[in-house]
Amino acid sequence: MFAGALAGRGILITRPAGQAEGLAARIVELGGNAILFPTLEIGPPTDPVALSHAIGCLPDDDLAIFISPTSVERAWPLILERHGGWPHGVTPAAVGQATARALAGCGVRHVLCAEDAADSESLLALAELGDMTGQRVLIIRGEGGRELLADTLRQRGARVDYAECYRRLRPAADPAPLLVLWRDGGIAAVTVTSREVFANLVDLLGEAGAALLRATPLFAPHPRIAAAAREWGVAEVVATPPGDAGLVSGLTDWFNRQHG
C-alpha cells in the first residue's frame, strides 16, 4: 500500500481537458486519486482572419511573446503554414518555463524567459525588455486577459500588437456527481491554475457546492490566484511554486505537515 502524503486522497484538477494529464499522472504516482473536472474549455478564435494576418506579419516583428503553452499549441500550426518554421531575426519569448518548454518542443531555440516565475511581471523584469524604443512586439495569447504586458512595453517605447489564437469558455458541466463524491469525503484538496478557472468552478458548483469549496484546502500556483480564492472565502489557500511541480510540492508539503 502506498504510504505517501497523497495516499488515498482525492485531488480535484480543474484544468481544461487535454491539459491535466501530466498533473493527474503525478498525483496518481504519489498514491492520490486525480479527480478531473475541467472548468475551462479552449475554443477557436473569434476572428481567424485577424489572427492569420498577425501571424503573417510575424517576420516584421522584433519580439514575439507567447503567453501560455496553449498559445504555442494553437499558433504553431499557423506559423508553420505561413513561414515553414520560426522566422529568422524574431526573438521568441515566453511567460513561464512551461511555455518555454512548449516552444522548445517545436524546435524554437533561445527563448527569452524568466527562470523562477510564470507571470508578466517576471518577464518584464528581464534586462532585455528594459528599453523597447522602436521595437515591434507581437503578443500571442487567448482573447482577453491582462493588459499589463502590452501597456508596459508601450510605455517603454514598443509598438505592440496581438495575435489572439483561442477563446476561453466555461464548459457545460454537470457538478452533481462531483458534489456527491465531495460530500462523501472523496475530495481532500482542490487545484486551480488561473483566476478564471476558479471563477468558473464557483459558478459551476453553485450554492450547492459553495460550502464544500470554502471548507476544502485549495492550491494555486500564483499569489494572484490564491488571493482571489481567499477573497471569495476559501478558508485554507496555499500559493505554491509555479507549474505542475509546484502544485505537487505544495500538496505533498501541506499534507505532510498536517499529518506528520
Side-chain angles (χ1 to χ4, degrees), residues 112-150:
L112 188 63
C113 182
E115 290 292 332
D116 54 358
D119 54 23
S120 298
E121 289 86 346
S122 62
L123 186 65
L124 288 167
L126 296 179
E128 292 89 342
L129 299 188
D131 181 2
M132 299 298 294
T133 303
Q135 299 287 296
R136 288 180 53 124
V137 179
L138 183 66
I139 297 177
I140 302 172
R141 67 173 193 172
E143 295 178 11
R146 300 176 77 203
E147 298 297 325
L148 174 68
L149 192 55

mmCIF file of all heavy atoms in Angstrom, residues 112-150:
data_model
loop_
_atom_site.group_PDB
_atom_site.id
_atom_site.type_symbol
_atom_site.label_atom_id
_atom_site.label_comp_id
_atom_site.label_asym_id
_atom_site.label_seq_id
_atom_site.Cartn_x
_atom_site.Cartn_y
_atom_site.Cartn_z
ATOM 1 N N LEU A 112 13.496 33.729 -24.675
ATOM 2 C CA LEU A 112 13.639 34.665 -23.568
ATOM 3 C C LEU A 112 12.559 34.371 -22.533
ATOM 4 O O LEU A 112 11.367 34.402 -22.846
ATOM 5 C CB LEU A 112 13.509 36.091 -24.096
ATOM 6 C CG LEU A 112 13.812 37.252 -23.152
ATOM 7 C CD1 LEU A 112 15.266 37.226 -22.712
ATOM 8 C CD2 LEU A 112 13.480 38.569 -23.848
ATOM 9 N N CYS A 113 12.973 34.077 -21.292
ATOM 10 C CA CYS A 113 12.009 33.672 -20.276
ATOM 11 C C CYS A 113 12.625 33.841 -18.895
ATOM 12 O O CYS A 113 13.823 33.608 -18.707
ATOM 13 C CB CYS A 113 11.605 32.207 -20.493
ATOM 14 S SG CYS A 113 10.378 31.589 -19.330
ATOM 15 N N ALA A 114 11.812 34.249 -17.934
ATOM 16 C CA ALA A 114 12.277 34.316 -16.546
ATOM 17 C C ALA A 114 12.496 32.901 -16.016
ATOM 18 O O ALA A 114 11.778 31.971 -16.381
ATOM 19 C CB ALA A 114 11.265 35.057 -15.682
ATOM 20 N N GLU A 115 13.457 32.753 -15.128
ATOM 21 C CA GLU A 115 13.829 31.426 -14.638
ATOM 22 C C GLU A 115 12.904 30.910 -13.549
ATOM 23 O O GLU A 115 12.640 29.714 -13.472
ATOM 24 C CB GLU A 115 15.268 31.456 -14.101
ATOM 25 C CG GLU A 115 16.332 31.621 -15.162
ATOM 26 C CD GLU A 115 16.440 30.402 -16.060
ATOM 27 O OE1 GLU A 115 16.131 29.286 -15.586
ATOM 28 O OE2 GLU A 115 16.822 30.568 -17.231
ATOM 29 N N ASP A 116 12.407 31.795 -12.684
ATOM 30 C CA ASP A 116 11.792 31.322 -11.443
ATOM 31 C C ASP A 116 10.376 31.817 -11.201
ATOM 32 O O ASP A 116 9.873 31.731 -10.088
ATOM 33 C CB ASP A 116 12.664 31.726 -10.259
ATOM 34 C CG ASP A 116 12.942 33.230 -10.238
ATOM 35 O OD1 ASP A 116 12.483 33.928 -11.160
ATOM 36 O OD2 ASP A 116 13.605 33.686 -9.297
ATOM 37 N N ALA A 117 9.712 32.344 -12.231
ATOM 38 C CA ALA A 117 8.331 32.790 -12.057
ATOM 39 C C ALA A 117 7.609 32.666 -13.384
ATOM 40 O O ALA A 117 8.233 32.545 -14.439
ATOM 41 C CB ALA A 117 8.283 34.234 -11.551
ATOM 42 N N ALA A 118 6.279 32.704 -13.326
ATOM 43 C CA ALA A 118 5.487 32.473 -14.536
ATOM 44 C C ALA A 118 4.396 33.527 -14.677
ATOM 45 O O ALA A 118 3.209 33.217 -14.720
ATOM 46 C CB ALA A 118 4.874 31.075 -14.510
ATOM 47 N N ASP A 119 4.818 34.792 -14.733
ATOM 48 C CA ASP A 119 3.843 35.854 -14.922
ATOM 49 C C ASP A 119 4.456 36.986 -15.732
ATOM 50 O O ASP A 119 5.654 36.999 -16.018
ATOM 51 C CB ASP A 119 3.308 36.359 -13.580
ATOM 52 C CG ASP A 119 4.412 36.793 -12.625
ATOM 53 O OD1 ASP A 119 5.523 37.127 -13.086
ATOM 54 O OD2 ASP A 119 4.164 36.791 -11.405
ATOM 55 N N SER A 120 3.615 37.929 -16.117
ATOM 56 C CA SER A 120 4.071 39.050 -16.933
ATOM 57 C C SER A 120 5.112 39.886 -16.210
ATOM 58 O O SER A 120 6.063 40.375 -16.823
ATOM 59 C CB SER A 120 2.874 39.929 -17.327
ATOM 60 O OG SER A 120 1.950 39.212 -18.117
ATOM 61 N N GLU A 121 4.926 40.053 -14.902
ATOM 62 C CA GLU A 121 5.861 40.864 -14.134
ATOM 63 C C GLU A 121 7.286 40.317 -14.216
ATOM 64 O O GLU A 121 8.251 41.080 -14.346
ATOM 65 C CB GLU A 121 5.412 40.935 -12.669
ATOM 66 C CG GLU A 121 4.164 41.765 -12.433
ATOM 67 C CD GLU A 121 2.872 41.000 -12.604
ATOM 68 O OE1 GLU A 121 2.900 39.893 -13.168
ATOM 69 O OE2 GLU A 121 1.825 41.526 -12.185
ATOM 70 N N SER A 122 7.421 38.999 -14.126
ATOM 71 C CA SER A 122 8.759 38.405 -14.158
ATOM 72 C C SER A 122 9.401 38.574 -15.529
ATOM 73 O O SER A 122 10.615 38.805 -15.624
ATOM 74 C CB SER A 122 8.689 36.923 -13.782
ATOM 75 O OG SER A 122 7.896 36.193 -14.700
ATOM 76 N N LEU A 123 8.625 38.487 -16.585
ATOM 77 C CA LEU A 123 9.179 38.699 -17.923
ATOM 78 C C LEU A 123 9.588 40.156 -18.104
ATOM 79 O O LEU A 123 10.672 40.454 -18.621
ATOM 80 C CB LEU A 123 8.154 38.289 -18.984
ATOM 81 C CG LEU A 123 8.660 38.317 -20.438
ATOM 82 C CD1 LEU A 123 9.758 37.284 -20.662
ATOM 83 C CD2 LEU A 123 7.502 38.080 -21.410
ATOM 84 N N LEU A 124 8.748 41.068 -17.652
ATOM 85 C CA LEU A 124 9.043 42.494 -17.786
ATOM 86 C C LEU A 124 10.277 42.907 -16.987
ATOM 87 O O LEU A 124 10.912 43.918 -17.295
ATOM 88 C CB LEU A 124 7.838 43.318 -17.340
ATOM 89 C CG LEU A 124 6.628 43.298 -18.276
ATOM 90 C CD1 LEU A 124 5.399 43.869 -17.588
ATOM 91 C CD2 LEU A 124 6.930 44.071 -19.562
ATOM 92 N N ALA A 125 10.628 42.132 -15.964
ATOM 93 C CA ALA A 125 11.790 42.461 -15.144
ATOM 94 C C ALA A 125 13.109 42.106 -15.814
ATOM 95 O O ALA A 125 14.172 42.537 -15.344
ATOM 96 C CB ALA A 125 11.694 41.752 -13.794
ATOM 97 N N LEU A 126 13.074 41.359 -16.915
ATOM 98 C CA LEU A 126 14.308 40.986 -17.591
ATOM 99 C C LEU A 126 14.966 42.210 -18.228
ATOM 100 O O LEU A 126 14.288 43.079 -18.790
ATOM 101 C CB LEU A 126 14.021 39.941 -18.679
ATOM 102 C CG LEU A 126 13.486 38.588 -18.187
ATOM 103 C CD1 LEU A 126 13.217 37.672 -19.386
ATOM 104 C CD2 LEU A 126 14.461 37.929 -17.221
ATOM 105 N N ALA A 127 16.276 42.244 -18.157
ATOM 106 C CA ALA A 127 17.021 43.398 -18.688
ATOM 107 C C ALA A 127 16.775 43.589 -20.178
ATOM 108 O O ALA A 127 16.768 44.730 -20.672
ATOM 109 C CB ALA A 127 18.512 43.207 -18.424
ATOM 110 N N GLU A 128 16.551 42.501 -20.902
ATOM 111 C CA GLU A 128 16.352 42.591 -22.359
ATOM 112 C C GLU A 128 15.101 43.382 -22.741
ATOM 113 O O GLU A 128 14.985 43.862 -23.873
ATOM 114 C CB GLU A 128 16.260 41.182 -22.957
ATOM 115 C CG GLU A 128 17.554 40.395 -22.913
ATOM 116 C CD GLU A 128 17.716 39.608 -21.627
ATOM 117 O OE1 GLU A 128 17.016 39.915 -20.626
ATOM 118 O OE2 GLU A 128 18.553 38.679 -21.623
ATOM 119 N N LEU A 129 14.172 43.526 -21.804
ATOM 120 C CA LEU A 129 12.940 44.261 -22.094
ATOM 121 C C LEU A 129 12.925 45.643 -21.440
ATOM 122 O O LEU A 129 11.887 46.283 -21.351
ATOM 123 C CB LEU A 129 11.719 43.455 -21.628
ATOM 124 C CG LEU A 129 11.529 42.085 -22.273
ATOM 125 C CD1 LEU A 129 10.194 41.489 -21.862
ATOM 126 C CD2 LEU A 129 11.622 42.163 -23.790
ATOM 127 N N GLY A 130 14.092 46.102 -20.996
ATOM 128 C CA GLY A 130 14.147 47.389 -20.317
ATOM 129 C C GLY A 130 13.882 48.575 -21.226
ATOM 130 O O GLY A 130 13.077 49.454 -20.909
ATOM 131 N N ASP A 131 14.549 48.630 -22.366
ATOM 132 C CA ASP A 131 14.370 49.725 -23.318
ATOM 133 C C ASP A 131 13.851 49.132 -24.615
ATOM 134 O O ASP A 131 14.562 48.412 -25.311
ATOM 135 C CB ASP A 131 15.693 50.448 -23.564
ATOM 136 C CG ASP A 131 15.547 51.620 -24.525
ATOM 137 O OD1 ASP A 131 14.415 51.902 -24.969
ATOM 138 O OD2 ASP A 131 16.580 52.260 -24.834
ATOM 139 N N MET A 132 12.590 49.426 -24.953
ATOM 140 C CA MET A 132 11.957 48.839 -26.133
ATOM 141 C C MET A 132 11.717 49.870 -27.231
ATOM 142 O O MET A 132 10.903 49.661 -28.127
ATOM 143 C CB MET A 132 10.632 48.191 -25.719
ATOM 144 C CG MET A 132 10.778 47.075 -24.706
ATOM 145 S SD MET A 132 11.768 45.703 -25.350
ATOM 146 C CE MET A 132 10.705 45.110 -26.665
ATOM 147 N N THR A 133 12.454 50.958 -27.187
ATOM 148 C CA THR A 133 12.253 52.041 -28.158
ATOM 149 C C THR A 133 12.384 51.526 -29.587
ATOM 150 O O THR A 133 13.386 50.919 -29.969
ATOM 151 C CB THR A 133 13.283 53.155 -27.928
ATOM 152 O OG1 THR A 133 13.178 53.623 -26.578
ATOM 153 C CG2 THR A 133 13.039 54.308 -28.884
ATOM 154 N N GLY A 134 11.319 51.742 -30.363
ATOM 155 C CA GLY A 134 11.331 51.375 -31.771
ATOM 156 C C GLY A 134 11.119 49.907 -32.061
ATOM 157 O O GLY A 134 11.152 49.499 -33.231
ATOM 158 N N GLN A 135 10.890 49.090 -31.030
ATOM 159 C CA GLN A 135 10.724 47.645 -31.233
ATOM 160 C C GLN A 135 9.270 47.304 -31.568
ATOM 161 O O GLN A 135 8.334 47.901 -31.046
ATOM 162 C CB GLN A 135 11.141 46.886 -29.968
ATOM 163 C CG GLN A 135 12.594 47.081 -29.574
ATOM 164 C CD GLN A 135 13.530 46.338 -30.502
ATOM 165 O OE1 GLN A 135 13.517 45.128 -30.573
ATOM 166 N NE2 GLN A 135 14.349 47.091 -31.226
ATOM 167 N N ARG A 136 9.114 46.323 -32.458
ATOM 168 C CA ARG A 136 7.785 45.784 -32.770
ATOM 169 C C ARG A 136 7.609 44.482 -32.006
ATOM 170 O O ARG A 136 8.437 43.578 -32.101
ATOM 171 C CB ARG A 136 7.636 45.525 -34.273
ATOM 172 C CG ARG A 136 7.512 46.784 -35.117
ATOM 173 C CD ARG A 136 7.369 46.407 -36.590
ATOM 174 N NE ARG A 136 6.292 45.445 -36.813
ATOM 175 C CZ ARG A 136 5.280 45.644 -37.656
ATOM 176 N NH1 ARG A 136 5.198 46.764 -38.358
ATOM 177 N NH2 ARG A 136 4.363 44.716 -37.825
ATOM 178 N N VAL A 137 6.505 44.403 -31.258
ATOM 179 C CA VAL A 137 6.258 43.244 -30.395
ATOM 180 C C VAL A 137 4.905 42.638 -30.748
ATOM 181 O O VAL A 137 3.907 43.355 -30.886
ATOM 182 C CB VAL A 137 6.277 43.630 -28.905
ATOM 183 C CG1 VAL A 137 5.983 42.414 -28.028
ATOM 184 C CG2 VAL A 137 7.609 44.258 -28.530
ATOM 185 N N LEU A 138 4.863 41.321 -30.886
ATOM 186 C CA LEU A 138 3.609 40.600 -31.079
ATOM 187 C C LEU A 138 3.373 39.726 -29.850
ATOM 188 O O LEU A 138 4.227 38.911 -29.485
ATOM 189 C CB LEU A 138 3.680 39.721 -32.332
ATOM 190 C CG LEU A 138 2.385 38.968 -32.675
ATOM 191 C CD1 LEU A 138 1.282 39.948 -33.069
ATOM 192 C CD2 LEU A 138 2.622 37.942 -33.780
ATOM 193 N N ILE A 139 2.219 39.914 -29.208
ATOM 194 C CA ILE A 139 1.840 39.097 -28.063
ATOM 195 C C ILE A 139 0.845 38.049 -28.549
ATOM 196 O O ILE A 139 -0.234 38.394 -29.055
ATOM 197 C CB ILE A 139 1.236 39.943 -26.933
ATOM 198 C CG1 ILE A 139 2.283 40.938 -26.402
ATOM 199 C CG2 ILE A 139 0.717 39.061 -25.810
ATOM 200 C CD1 ILE A 139 1.759 41.867 -25.330
ATOM 201 N N ILE A 140 1.206 36.789 -28.397
ATOM 202 C CA ILE A 140 0.389 35.672 -28.875
ATOM 203 C C ILE A 140 -0.316 35.072 -27.668
ATOM 204 O O ILE A 140 0.328 34.548 -26.756
ATOM 205 C CB ILE A 140 1.279 34.637 -29.602
ATOM 206 C CG1 ILE A 140 2.005 35.317 -30.766
ATOM 207 C CG2 ILE A 140 0.439 33.469 -30.105
ATOM 208 C CD1 ILE A 140 3.059 34.456 -31.435
ATOM 209 N N ARG A 141 -1.638 35.160 -27.671
ATOM 210 C CA ARG A 141 -2.392 34.846 -26.454
ATOM 211 C C ARG A 141 -3.810 34.403 -26.802
ATOM 212 O O ARG A 141 -4.207 34.351 -27.969
ATOM 213 C CB ARG A 141 -2.464 36.081 -25.555
ATOM 214 C CG ARG A 141 -3.301 37.211 -26.138
ATOM 215 C CD ARG A 141 -3.480 38.342 -25.151
ATOM 216 N NE ARG A 141 -4.521 39.287 -25.575
ATOM 217 C CZ ARG A 141 -4.980 40.281 -24.831
ATOM 218 N NH1 ARG A 141 -4.466 40.485 -23.627
ATOM 219 N NH2 ARG A 141 -5.923 41.091 -25.271
ATOM 220 N N GLY A 142 -4.604 34.109 -25.753
ATOM 221 C CA GLY A 142 -6.031 33.929 -25.914
ATOM 222 C C GLY A 142 -6.726 35.275 -25.921
ATOM 223 O O GLY A 142 -6.116 36.310 -25.636
ATOM 224 N N GLU A 143 -7.982 35.270 -26.241
ATOM 225 C CA GLU A 143 -8.740 36.524 -26.282
ATOM 226 C C GLU A 143 -8.948 37.067 -24.873
ATOM 227 O O GLU A 143 -9.259 36.331 -23.948
ATOM 228 C CB GLU A 143 -10.088 36.297 -26.966
ATOM 229 C CG GLU A 143 -9.947 35.925 -28.429
ATOM 230 C CD GLU A 143 -11.268 35.652 -29.113
ATOM 231 O OE1 GLU A 143 -12.321 35.950 -28.522
ATOM 232 O OE2 GLU A 143 -11.241 35.125 -30.240
ATOM 233 N N GLY A 144 -8.752 38.360 -24.708
ATOM 234 C CA GLY A 144 -8.900 38.997 -23.406
ATOM 235 C C GLY A 144 -7.680 38.761 -22.537
ATOM 236 O O GLY A 144 -6.618 38.381 -23.009
ATOM 237 N N GLY A 145 -7.850 39.002 -21.252
ATOM 238 C CA GLY A 145 -6.730 38.804 -20.330
ATOM 239 C C GLY A 145 -6.107 40.113 -19.894
ATOM 240 O O GLY A 145 -6.576 41.214 -20.234
ATOM 241 N N ARG A 146 -5.026 40.000 -19.148
ATOM 242 C CA ARG A 146 -4.367 41.176 -18.580
ATOM 243 C C ARG A 146 -3.720 42.014 -19.671
ATOM 244 O O ARG A 146 -3.208 41.490 -20.665
ATOM 245 C CB ARG A 146 -3.286 40.752 -17.585
ATOM 246 C CG ARG A 146 -3.785 39.944 -16.409
ATOM 247 C CD ARG A 146 -2.620 39.499 -15.548
ATOM 248 N NE ARG A 146 -2.104 40.575 -14.711
ATOM 249 C CZ ARG A 146 -0.882 40.603 -14.208
ATOM 250 N NH1 ARG A 146 -0.019 39.632 -14.496
ATOM 251 N NH2 ARG A 146 -0.493 41.598 -13.438
ATOM 252 N N GLU A 147 -3.704 43.325 -19.445
ATOM 253 C CA GLU A 147 -3.091 44.257 -20.395
ATOM 254 C C GLU A 147 -1.739 44.771 -19.900
ATOM 255 O O GLU A 147 -1.111 45.590 -20.570
ATOM 256 C CB GLU A 147 -4.029 45.449 -20.627
ATOM 257 C CG GLU A 147 -5.376 45.064 -21.234
ATOM 258 C CD GLU A 147 -5.226 44.462 -22.619
ATOM 259 O OE1 GLU A 147 -4.335 44.892 -23.374
ATOM 260 O OE2 GLU A 147 -6.008 43.549 -22.950
ATOM 261 N N LEU A 148 -1.296 44.284 -18.738
ATOM 262 C CA LEU A 148 -0.072 44.801 -18.133
ATOM 263 C C LEU A 148 1.120 44.698 -19.077
ATOM 264 O O LEU A 148 1.904 45.650 -19.220
ATOM 265 C CB LEU A 148 0.230 44.048 -16.841
ATOM 266 C CG LEU A 148 1.569 44.388 -16.180
ATOM 267 C CD1 LEU A 148 1.559 45.816 -15.638
ATOM 268 C CD2 LEU A 148 1.893 43.400 -15.063
ATOM 269 N N LEU A 149 1.288 43.559 -19.723
ATOM 270 C CA LEU A 149 2.445 43.336 -20.583
ATOM 271 C C LEU A 149 2.466 44.332 -21.734
ATOM 272 O O LEU A 149 3.475 45.016 -21.976
ATOM 273 C CB LEU A 149 2.419 41.902 -21.104
ATOM 274 C CG LEU A 149 3.662 41.367 -21.794
ATOM 275 C CD1 LEU A 149 4.900 41.502 -20.916
ATOM 276 C CD2 LEU A 149 3.450 39.907 -22.187
ATOM 277 N N ALA A 150 1.347 44.443 -22.442
ATOM 278 C CA ALA A 150 1.298 45.360 -23.579
ATOM 279 C C ALA A 150 1.436 46.810 -23.135
ATOM 280 O O ALA A 150 2.185 47.594 -23.747
ATOM 281 C CB ALA A 150 -0.015 45.174 -24.341
#
